Each structure stands twice: as C-alpha cells, then as structure tokens.
C-alpha cells in the first residue's frame, strides 16, 4: 500500500491547508478488488480528518447500495437521506457503490431506483460540502462507469485512490503477522503452500 499511504499523506496535507476554504471538498473514490484494504484506509482517513479539525467527529458509517435503495417507489430518497444524516459530521463509506447503477444481473440491488439514490447523494455532497466526507469504493472498471453515468459525480470527487492487489511477498508478511498475533508459528514451506492456495483462489475471480 505504498502508493495509498503516499496519497493519504497528501489528503491530510490538503485538508489542513484548505479546511477554511469556501470550496473545500473531501469526497473520494477508492478503486480496488475486495481485500485490498479500502475499508480500513477509509477508517484511517476518518480519524485523520477529525484529527486535523476538518470533521467534528471521528464518525464512520459504512453501507452499500442496498443501504440506500428502497424496495418501493418513494422509499429510496428518504432512505438515502437518512444514511447521509447518520454520517453527517463524519465519513460515509459506500462499498460496491457501482451497484447503484446496476439494474440487472444476480447481484443487482437497484431495482431501477439507483438514479434516485444518486440524485439525493449528489445534492448532499454539494450542499453539505466540507461538512461530511463521502468515500465511494469498488472495482475500478465498474466505479468508472458509475462516475461517468452522471456528470455531477466527477466534479464532486476530490481524490481517487487505486488499491493494487497484494504481491505474493506482501501476502506472506501479512499471513506471518496474523499467525504471530495468534501465537502460531509456520514453516517457510507451509507458508509457501498457504500463499499457493491464496493465489489459486485469486485467479478464479
């Protein structure tokens, strides 16, 4: 996460320097596969924005498209607004946000109401600029389609962070760290086989 750590430092510096500006904007988009650290980094950013006095609370509200979209006509706007209100003063993290524009397929949750949720979200991102931070996260290709689906998105996203997959060596370090915390030991051969298994399943995606 070297490149991500570098960006987080830039975000902190930007926040400290511009927090009193009239056009201050902290909304972000995280690109990356599951398990690359997006949620954890979003939590860290929540704490940093509070630490530098940008946000009044170190509040972190996590949701996905299903947490914003209602099942019935007229329900989505109030549901999205309620989630924004919950996050006001802190960070609203929307994982797999691209599902807001997916209206078909086995994983679809939008049921055609995604545009309504996006409209409410965009209005709040603009009207309450500087009062809370929205972080949209998901696969890069799908997230770019989401941002291009509405011209308002691009103008409201201040930072975009790419989360690369962990290398084999990094996965070994992580596995060794997790096992050590549980007071387990692992041989180098066993660790190699463990990462072989991880690599096998990563290639299935």
């Amino acid at each position: 996460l070297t490149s991500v750590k570098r960006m987080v430092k830039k975000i902190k510096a930007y926040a400290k320097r511009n927090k009193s500006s009239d056009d201050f904007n902290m909304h972000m988009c995280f690109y990356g596969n599951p398990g690359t650290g997006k949620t954890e980094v979003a939590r860290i950013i929540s704490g940093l924005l509070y630490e530098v006095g940008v946000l009044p609370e170190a509040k972190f509200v996590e949701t996905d498209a299903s947490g914003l979209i209602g099942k019935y006509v007229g329900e989505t706007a109030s549901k999205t607004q309620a989630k924004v209100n919950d996050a006001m003063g802190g960070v609203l993290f929307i994982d797999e946000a691209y599902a807001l524009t997916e209206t078909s397929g086995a994983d679809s949750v939008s049921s055609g109401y995604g545009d309504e949720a996006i409209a409410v979200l965009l209005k709040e991102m603009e009207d309450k600029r500087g009062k809370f931070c929205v972080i949209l996260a998901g696969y890069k290709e799908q997230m770019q389609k989401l941002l291009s689906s509405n011209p308002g998105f691009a103008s409201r996203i201040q930072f975009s962070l790419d989360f690369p997959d962990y290398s084999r060596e990094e996965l070994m370090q992580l596995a060794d760290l997790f096992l050590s915390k549980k007071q387990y030991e692992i041989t180098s051969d066993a660790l190699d086989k463990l990462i072989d298994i991880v690599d096998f399943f990563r290639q299935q995606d």
Side-chain angles (χ1 to χ4, degrees), residues 106-178:
D107 297 328
S108 173
V109 294
S110 65
S111 304
Y113 302 142
D115 288 343
E116 187 179 356
I118 289 172
V120 173
L121 187 62
L122 287 176
K123 185 176 188 303
E124 290 299 288
M125 288 170 72
E126 181 63 28
D127 293 351
K128 306 292 173 41
R129 179 188 291 237
K131 295 182 180 178
F132 81 124
C133 168
V134 172
I135 300 179
L136 308 170
Y139 295 107
K140 186 168 186 173
E141 185 177 345
Q142 287 93 326
M143 289 303 298
Q144 289 176 333
K145 286 181 181 178
L146 169 67
L147 297 183
S148 64
S149 71
N150 189 307
F153 262 131
S155 66
R156 288 166 175 79
I157 299 298
Q158 182 70 20
F159 295 102
S160 295
L161 280 73
D162 270 302
F163 286 72
D165 290 342
Y166 290 113
S167 68
R168 186 179 177 88
E169 291 71 26
E170 288 169 334
L171 287 172
M172 284 183 169
Q173 292 174 18
L174 286 169
D176 197 39
L177 177 64
F178 290 149

Side-chain angles (χ1 to χ4, degrees), residues 8-190:
V8 169
K9 288 181 180 178
K10 288 183 179 180
I11 290 169
K12 183 178 181 180
Y14 168 85
K16 290 176 71 174
R17 186 172 61 251
N18 296 284
K19 60 184 179 181
S20 299
S21 172
D22 291 338
D23 61 350
F24 180 66
N25 172 21
M26 288 303 303
H27 305 310
M28 309 176 201
C29 187
F30 288 2
Y31 302 128
N33 293 327
T36 49
K38 299 186 297 297
T39 304
E40 188 59 32
V41 171
R43 290 183 188 277
I44 291 170
I45 286 176
S46 171
L48 285 177
L49 295 180
Y50 169 72
E51 179 187 316
V52 299
V54 170
L55 297 176
E57 300 179 59
K59 184 195 297 184
F60 184 80
V61 176
E62 182 178 357
T63 189
D64 57 17
S66 65
L68 305 177
I69 294 174
K71 296 180 180 179
Y72 313 104
V73 175
E75 184 184 8
T76 294
S78 59
K79 192 173 180 180
T80 302
Q81 186 66 59
K83 192 62 71 174
V84 169
N85 292 344
D86 287 345
M88 196 58 60
V91 168
L92 176 60
F93 180 75
I94 307 174
D95 199 13
E96 298 181 354
Y98 53 81
L100 289 168
T101 55
E102 291 186 345
T103 57
S104 62
D107 297 328
S108 173
V109 294
S110 65
S111 304
Y113 302 142
D115 288 343
E116 187 179 356
I118 289 172
V120 173
L121 187 62
L122 287 176
K123 185 176 188 303
E124 290 299 288
M125 288 170 72
E126 181 63 28
D127 293 351
K128 306 292 173 41
R129 179 188 291 237
K131 295 182 180 178
F132 81 124
C133 168
V134 172
I135 300 179
L136 308 170
Y139 295 107
K140 186 168 186 173
E141 185 177 345
Q142 287 93 326
M143 289 303 298
Q144 289 176 333
K145 286 181 181 178
L146 169 67
L147 297 183
S148 64
S149 71
N150 189 307
F153 262 131
S155 66
R156 288 166 175 79
I157 299 298
Q158 182 70 20
F159 295 102
S160 295
L161 280 73
D162 270 302
F163 286 72
D165 290 342
Y166 290 113
S167 68
R168 186 179 177 88
E169 291 71 26
E170 288 169 334
L171 287 172
M172 284 183 169
Q173 292 174 18
L174 286 169
D176 197 39
L177 177 64
F178 290 149
L179 289 168
S180 296
K181 285 183 177 179
K182 297 291 186 180
Q183 299 184 332
Y184 287 104
E185 293 182 2
I186 186 169
T187 66
S188 58
D189 286 346

